[in-house]
Amino acid sequence: AQKITQTQPGMFVQEKEAVTLDCTYDTSDPSYGLFWYKQPSSGEMIFLIYQGSYDQQNATEGRYSLNFQKARKSANLVISASQLGDSAMYFCAMRDLDPGGGADGLTFGKGTHLIIQP
Amino acid sequence: AAGVIQSPRHLIKEKRETATLKCYPIPRHDTVYWYQQGPGQDPQFLISFYEKMQSDKGSIPDRFSAQQFSDYHSELNMSSLELGDSALYFCASSLRDQTQYFGPGTRLLVL
């Protein structure tokens, strides 16, 4: 079974500062994918960034980067130069990467509510 | 770019009624997933379909069923609705086992 732990229920950050959202995971699968999604108050679920367990380099997408430490089973999201529009719920999620390519569902963490203050 | 389309966006039902939620995946995506998100909760995976066949099953109640049609759209059928079924229901789509992109969700309220 897979498990995602997000230990920060809420965070307040000043605008323009960098912010790190913590995520640790547990799985017995050797091949897996890690994802971060953003959910604004409007409710939609927006994909941010992906990291595969065998990827050699940390993933980056614009202002988002993923600090992947496989030995520690952590996949922290780093947002650089935070903006007011970054205020939202952030979910870390994972799924195993079956060699057969099955369409497995995602396992989500409880989320971190990030509030950017002006 | 085209996104996942879900209908209806809002639905109000009485207890013991039935509901059907529809999902139209991103063009060329062959896989759809259904998730349920209760108030203040994280999304819970219900079921997925690849090429019209059920692929993975999560915590979907026996009262719920789903299918994927030849045009790849999917429907989630919910019967004997309970108050606890009130939630945001997401459909997501992907190209096989690639990144899942979520639709805007259907807010279901059971009275």
mmCIF file of all heavy atoms in Angstrom, chain A residues 13 34 58 62 65 74 76 99 105-106:
data_model
loop_
_atom_site.group_PDB
_atom_site.id
_atom_site.type_symbol
_atom_site.label_atom_id
_atom_site.label_comp_id
_atom_site.label_asym_id
_atom_site.label_seq_id
_atom_site.Cartn_x
_atom_site.Cartn_y
_atom_site.Cartn_z
ATOM 1 N N VAL A 13 3.114 32.657 4.186
ATOM 2 C CA VAL A 13 4.387 33.087 3.592
ATOM 3 C C VAL A 13 4.224 34.494 3.038
ATOM 4 O O VAL A 13 3.170 34.826 2.483
ATOM 5 C CB VAL A 13 4.801 32.113 2.470
ATOM 6 C CG1 VAL A 13 6.028 32.607 1.729
ATOM 7 C CG2 VAL A 13 5.062 30.720 3.043
ATOM 8 N N LEU A 34 5.650 10.613 -8.625
ATOM 9 C CA LEU A 34 5.224 11.563 -7.607
ATOM 10 C C LEU A 34 4.701 12.818 -8.298
ATOM 11 O O LEU A 34 5.293 13.298 -9.277
ATOM 12 C CB LEU A 34 6.396 11.921 -6.695
ATOM 13 C CG LEU A 34 6.909 10.735 -5.881
ATOM 14 C CD1 LEU A 34 8.356 10.935 -5.493
ATOM 15 C CD2 LEU A 34 6.051 10.517 -4.650
ATOM 16 N N ASN A 58 16.187 16.406 -10.497
ATOM 17 C CA ASN A 58 14.965 16.951 -9.922
ATOM 18 C C ASN A 58 14.170 17.676 -10.984
ATOM 19 O O ASN A 58 14.721 18.405 -11.810
ATOM 20 C CB ASN A 58 15.294 17.906 -8.772
ATOM 21 C CG ASN A 58 15.768 17.181 -7.535
ATOM 22 O OD1 ASN A 58 15.596 15.975 -7.391
ATOM 23 N ND2 ASN A 58 16.396 17.914 -6.618
ATOM 24 N N GLY A 62 8.971 26.002 -14.498
ATOM 25 C CA GLY A 62 8.826 27.421 -14.195
ATOM 26 C C GLY A 62 9.267 27.719 -12.774
ATOM 27 O O GLY A 62 10.398 27.449 -12.388
ATOM 28 N N SER A 65 9.752 23.638 -8.451
ATOM 29 C CA SER A 65 10.761 22.599 -8.531
ATOM 30 C C SER A 65 10.460 21.563 -7.459
ATOM 31 O O SER A 65 9.806 21.848 -6.456
ATOM 32 C CB SER A 65 12.173 23.170 -8.367
ATOM 33 O OG SER A 65 12.305 23.790 -7.107
ATOM 34 N N SER A 74 11.345 11.503 0.274
ATOM 35 C CA SER A 74 10.695 12.809 0.334
ATOM 36 C C SER A 74 10.649 13.443 -1.046
ATOM 37 O O SER A 74 11.536 13.208 -1.883
ATOM 38 C CB SER A 74 11.394 13.724 1.331
ATOM 39 O OG SER A 74 12.620 14.192 0.804
ATOM 40 N N ASN A 76 9.639 17.160 -1.775
ATOM 41 C CA ASN A 76 9.161 18.485 -1.385
ATOM 42 C C ASN A 76 9.003 19.392 -2.600
ATOM 43 O O ASN A 76 9.832 19.386 -3.506
ATOM 44 C CB ASN A 76 10.124 19.122 -0.391
ATOM 45 C CG ASN A 76 10.233 18.315 0.890
ATOM 46 O OD1 ASN A 76 9.362 17.512 1.219
ATOM 47 N ND2 ASN A 76 11.308 18.519 1.626
ATOM 48 N N PRO A 99 4.917 -1.939 -14.803
ATOM 49 C CA PRO A 99 5.546 -2.172 -16.101
ATOM 50 C C PRO A 99 4.537 -2.422 -17.205
ATOM 51 O O PRO A 99 4.794 -2.145 -18.362
ATOM 52 C CB PRO A 99 6.404 -3.421 -15.862
ATOM 53 C CG PRO A 99 6.660 -3.428 -14.401
ATOM 54 C CD PRO A 99 5.440 -2.844 -13.762
ATOM 55 N N GLY A 105 -4.956 4.542 -9.971
ATOM 56 C CA GLY A 105 -5.361 5.798 -9.367
ATOM 57 C C GLY A 105 -4.255 6.388 -8.516
ATOM 58 O O GLY A 105 -3.321 5.709 -8.107
ATOM 59 N N LEU A 106 -4.379 7.685 -8.256
ATOM 60 C CA LEU A 106 -3.434 8.389 -7.416
ATOM 61 C C LEU A 106 -3.813 8.246 -5.944
ATOM 62 O O LEU A 106 -4.995 8.234 -5.596
ATOM 63 C CB LEU A 106 -3.414 9.875 -7.765
ATOM 64 C CG LEU A 106 -2.905 10.237 -9.163
ATOM 65 C CD1 LEU A 106 -3.219 11.696 -9.476
ATOM 66 C CD2 LEU A 106 -1.417 9.981 -9.268
#
